[in-house]
Amino acid sequence: MADHIRKQLRDAAKAALGALPPSAGVVHAYRVWPIEPASLPLVSVHTPADEVSRASQQEDPHDPETIERVIDLRVTAYRTGTEDALDDGLDASSREIEAILGEGLSVAGVELRLDYVGAVLDYQGGDQPYGSVQMRWFVEVIQAANAPDEIIA
């Protein structure tokens, strides 16, 4: 049995984001806590939620029910910078990440479209100010209800 689809999606996103320039920092396929400004820049990929709905009625008890799963994929880029340069740096990270993931991802041999739904920027002050831009995509897959590691479409 392969890994759950959420892990496969995180791993595929992390691999794709390996094309980011070194100035983007290390890409992690999980949330990074706590954030230490000295460890920045970095990129975090996580899937905090998904929603599932029935895609087909189970008519034959020997056939598994088909479900539609919409996965919430989030990528957060963190960087340090002066107040003047922080927005520009976060926007540059956002541009690079959106361009890569805008091409979609291949997961378990299936090409998946990622629907970009927006971004939120956040800032932390202190001795070494830093900020983040969290970008969000929805990814829709069709699966058998008893196979959360496989994609039908």
Side-chain angles (χ1 to χ4, degrees):
M1 178 177 276
D3 292 320
H4 194 282
I5 185 60
R6 289 186 304 268
K7 180 176 184 329
Q8 292 179 59
L9 182 60
R10 287 192 306 272
D11 289 347
K14 179 183 175 189
L17 293 173
L20 285 169
S23 62
V26 177
V27 179
H28 299 276
Y30 52 86
R31 284 181 254 206
V32 180
W33 304 111
I35 298 298
E36 297 294 336
S39 67
L40 302 181
L42 66 82
V43 176
S44 168
V45 177
H46 51 283
T47 51
D50 61 18
E51 291 189 19
V52 175
S53 61
R54 182 179 296 170
S56 69
Q57 298 293 330
Q58 183 179 3
E59 296 177 14
D60 182 343
H62 301 292
D63 289 336
E65 180 179 32
T66 303
I67 60 170
E68 175 184 31
R69 183 184 303 266
V70 179
I71 303 167
D72 184 352
L73 172 68
R74 298 188 190 195
V75 177
T76 308
Y78 298 89
R79 27 182 355 120
T80 58
T82 64
E83 290 178 15
D84 295 341
L86 194 50
D87 274 344
D88 294 343
L90 293 171
D91 286 341
S93 293
S94 186
R95 181 193 72 240
E96 293 162 348
I97 292 167
E98 288 177 47
I100 291 169
L101 295 183
E103 297 292 321
L105 291 173
S106 178
V107 177
V110 177
E111 294 298 320
L112 299 178
R113 186 183 84 220
L114 282 63
D115 294 321
Y116 184 66
V117 293
V120 175
L121 282 79
D122 187 36
Y123 305 96
Q124 301 294 321
D127 293 338
Q128 190 173 9
Y130 70 93
S132 65
V133 56
Q134 182 178 87
M135 294 147 281
R136 187 176 186 192
W137 289 263
F138 289 142
V139 184
E140 183 179 316
V141 297
I142 304 294
Q143 300 176 289
N146 63 351
D149 56 334
E150 298 176 11
I151 301 171
I152 296 171

